[in-house]
PDB file of all heavy atoms in Angstrom:
ATOM      1  N   THR A 719     -49.551 -57.150  56.309  1.00 83.00           N
ATOM      2  CA  THR A 719     -50.851 -56.671  55.800  1.00 83.00           C
ATOM      3  C   THR A 719     -51.713 -57.803  55.260  1.00 83.00           C
ATOM      4  O   THR A 719     -52.864 -57.576  54.889  1.00 83.00           O
ATOM      5  CB  THR A 719     -50.620 -55.642  54.679  1.00 83.00           C
ATOM      6  OG1 THR A 719     -49.938 -56.287  53.586  1.00 83.00           O
ATOM      7  CG2 THR A 719     -49.803 -54.466  55.177  1.00 83.00           C
ATOM      8  N   GLN A 720     -51.098 -59.019  55.212  1.00 83.00           N
ATOM      9  CA  GLN A 720     -51.783 -60.198  54.677  1.00 83.00           C
ATOM     10  C   GLN A 720     -52.367 -59.921  53.286  1.00 83.00           C
ATOM     11  O   GLN A 720     -53.510 -60.258  52.983  1.00 83.00           O
ATOM     12  CB  GLN A 720     -52.881 -60.678  55.639  1.00 83.00           C
ATOM     13  CG  GLN A 720     -52.338 -61.159  56.974  1.00 83.00           C
ATOM     14  CD  GLN A 720     -53.406 -61.780  57.854  1.00 83.00           C
ATOM     15  OE1 GLN A 720     -54.600 -61.669  57.590  1.00 83.00           O
ATOM     16  NE2 GLN A 720     -52.977 -62.442  58.919  1.00 83.00           N
ATOM     17  N   SER A 721     -51.491 -59.313  52.459  1.00 86.00           N
ATOM     18  CA  SER A 721     -51.934 -58.995  51.102  1.00 86.00           C
ATOM     19  C   SER A 721     -50.725 -59.009  50.174  1.00 86.00           C
ATOM     20  O   SER A 721     -49.574 -58.945  50.620  1.00 86.00           O
ATOM     21  CB  SER A 721     -52.610 -57.618  51.059  1.00 86.00           C
ATOM     22  OG  SER A 721     -51.675 -56.602  51.408  1.00 86.00           O
ATOM     23  N   ASN A 722     -51.014 -59.107  48.881  1.00 86.00           N
ATOM     24  CA  ASN A 722     -49.950 -59.022  47.883  1.00 86.00           C
ATOM     25  C   ASN A 722     -49.650 -57.563  47.586  1.00 86.00           C
ATOM     26  O   ASN A 722     -50.555 -56.731  47.463  1.00 86.00           O
ATOM     27  CB  ASN A 722     -50.359 -59.745  46.600  1.00 86.00           C
ATOM     28  CG  ASN A 722     -50.447 -61.242  46.777  1.00 86.00           C
ATOM     29  OD1 ASN A 722     -49.704 -61.825  47.565  1.00 86.00           O
ATOM     30  ND2 ASN A 722     -51.369 -61.871  46.056  1.00 86.00           N
ATOM     31  N   GLN A 723     -48.355 -57.257  47.449  1.00 87.00           N
ATOM     32  CA  GLN A 723     -47.942 -55.900  47.147  1.00 87.00           C
ATOM     33  C   GLN A 723     -46.864 -55.926  46.068  1.00 87.00           C
ATOM     34  O   GLN A 723     -46.143 -56.918  45.914  1.00 87.00           O
ATOM     35  CB  GLN A 723     -47.397 -55.190  48.399  1.00 87.00           C
ATOM     36  CG  GLN A 723     -48.454 -54.862  49.424  1.00 87.00           C
ATOM     37  CD  GLN A 723     -47.866 -54.068  50.594  1.00 87.00           C
ATOM     38  OE1 GLN A 723     -47.789 -54.563  51.707  1.00 87.00           O
ATOM     39  NE2 GLN A 723     -47.464 -52.835  50.322  1.00 87.00           N
ATOM     40  N   THR A 724     -46.742 -54.822  45.360  1.00 88.00           N
ATOM     41  CA  THR A 724     -45.721 -54.701  44.325  1.00 88.00           C
ATOM     42  C   THR A 724     -44.417 -54.218  44.947  1.00 88.00           C
ATOM     43  O   THR A 724     -44.395 -53.216  45.674  1.00 88.00           O
ATOM     44  CB  THR A 724     -46.157 -53.716  43.231  1.00 88.00           C
ATOM     45  OG1 THR A 724     -47.347 -54.219  42.611  1.00 88.00           O
ATOM     46  CG2 THR A 724     -45.074 -53.568  42.167  1.00 88.00           C
ATOM     47  N   LEU A 725     -43.338 -54.936  44.648  1.00 86.00           N
ATOM     48  CA  LEU A 725     -42.003 -54.513  45.071  1.00 86.00           C
ATOM     49  C   LEU A 725     -41.284 -53.983  43.837  1.00 86.00           C
ATOM     50  O   LEU A 725     -40.960 -54.745  42.926  1.00 86.00           O
ATOM     51  CB  LEU A 725     -41.237 -55.687  45.684  1.00 86.00           C
ATOM     52  CG  LEU A 725     -39.838 -55.354  46.216  1.00 86.00           C
ATOM     53  CD1 LEU A 725     -39.924 -54.486  47.459  1.00 86.00           C
ATOM     54  CD2 LEU A 725     -39.056 -56.629  46.529  1.00 86.00           C
ATOM     55  N   GLU A 726     -41.021 -52.694  43.804  1.00 90.00           N
ATOM     56  CA  GLU A 726     -40.454 -52.055  42.615  1.00 90.00           C
ATOM     57  C   GLU A 726     -38.930 -52.188  42.585  1.00 90.00           C
ATOM     58  O   GLU A 726     -38.199 -51.211  42.439  1.00 90.00           O
ATOM     59  CB  GLU A 726     -40.869 -50.580  42.580  1.00 90.00           C
ATOM     60  CG  GLU A 726     -42.372 -50.394  42.495  1.00 90.00           C
ATOM     61  CD  GLU A 726     -42.780 -48.932  42.530  1.00 90.00           C
ATOM     62  OE1 GLU A 726     -41.878 -48.063  42.544  1.00 90.00           O
ATOM     63  OE2 GLU A 726     -43.989 -48.647  42.553  1.00 90.00           O
ATOM     64  N   ILE A 727     -38.473 -53.425  42.691  1.00 88.00           N
ATOM     65  CA  ILE A 727     -37.035 -53.675  42.802  1.00 88.00           C
ATOM     66  C   ILE A 727     -36.309 -53.417  41.487  1.00 88.00           C
ATOM     67  O   ILE A 727     -35.088 -53.185  41.471  1.00 88.00           O
ATOM     68  CB  ILE A 727     -36.794 -55.120  43.292  1.00 88.00           C
ATOM     69  CG1 ILE A 727     -35.356 -55.284  43.779  1.00 88.00           C
ATOM     70  CG2 ILE A 727     -37.137 -56.140  42.207  1.00 88.00           C
ATOM     71  CD1 ILE A 727     -35.111 -56.539  44.567  1.00 88.00           C
ATOM     72  N   ASN A 728     -37.023 -53.442  40.374  1.00 90.00           N
ATOM     73  CA  ASN A 728     -36.405 -53.186  39.070  1.00 90.00           C
ATOM     74  C   ASN A 728     -36.692 -51.783  38.550  1.00 90.00           C
ATOM     75  O   ASN A 728     -36.392 -51.483  37.393  1.00 90.00           O
ATOM     76  CB  ASN A 728     -36.887 -54.231  38.052  1.00 90.00           C
ATOM     77  CG  ASN A 728     -36.350 -55.618  38.366  1.00 90.00           C
ATOM     78  OD1 ASN A 728     -35.178 -55.787  38.678  1.00 90.00           O
ATOM     79  ND2 ASN A 728     -37.219 -56.620  38.305  1.00 90.00           N
ATOM     80  N   ARG A 729     -37.272 -50.960  39.390  1.00 92.00           N
ATOM     81  CA  ARG A 729     -37.557 -49.580  38.986  1.00 92.00           C
ATOM     82  C   ARG A 729     -36.256 -48.833  38.722  1.00 92.00           C
ATOM     83  O   ARG A 729     -35.326 -48.865  39.511  1.00 92.00           O
ATOM     84  CB  ARG A 729     -38.344 -48.870  40.096  1.00 92.00           C
ATOM     85  CG  ARG A 729     -38.555 -47.374  39.870  1.00 92.00           C
ATOM     86  CD  ARG A 729     -39.421 -46.799  40.987  1.00 92.00           C
ATOM     87  NE  ARG A 729     -38.861 -47.101  42.289  1.00 92.00           N
ATOM     88  CZ  ARG A 729     -37.979 -46.318  42.928  1.00 92.00           C
ATOM     89  NH1 ARG A 729     -37.534 -45.214  42.347  1.00 92.00           N
ATOM     90  NH2 ARG A 729     -37.549 -46.649  44.130  1.00 92.00           N
ATOM     91  N   ALA A 730     -36.204 -48.159  37.578  1.00 94.00           N
ATOM     92  CA  ALA A 730     -35.006 -47.401  37.214  1.00 94.00           C
ATOM     93  C   ALA A 730     -35.206 -45.925  37.539  1.00 94.00           C
ATOM     94  O   ALA A 730     -36.274 -45.368  37.264  1.00 94.00           O
ATOM     95  CB  ALA A 730     -34.701 -47.561  35.726  1.00 94.00           C
ATOM     96  N   PRO A 731     -34.207 -45.272  38.111  1.00 95.00           N
ATOM     97  CA  PRO A 731     -34.325 -43.838  38.404  1.00 95.00           C
ATOM     98  C   PRO A 731     -34.237 -43.019  37.121  1.00 95.00           C
ATOM     99  O   PRO A 731     -33.892 -43.525  36.047  1.00 95.00           O
ATOM    100  CB  PRO A 731     -33.129 -43.572  39.323  1.00 95.00           C
ATOM    101  CG  PRO A 731     -32.135 -44.625  38.963  1.00 95.00           C
ATOM    102  CD  PRO A 731     -32.938 -45.833  38.563  1.00 95.00           C
TER     103      PRO A 731
END
Side-chain angles (χ1 to χ4, degrees):
T719 63
Q720 296 187 348
S721 63
N722 291 328
Q723 289 184 248
T724 298
L725 182 70
E726 298 177 4
I727 196 166
N728 291 316
R729 173 176 54 90

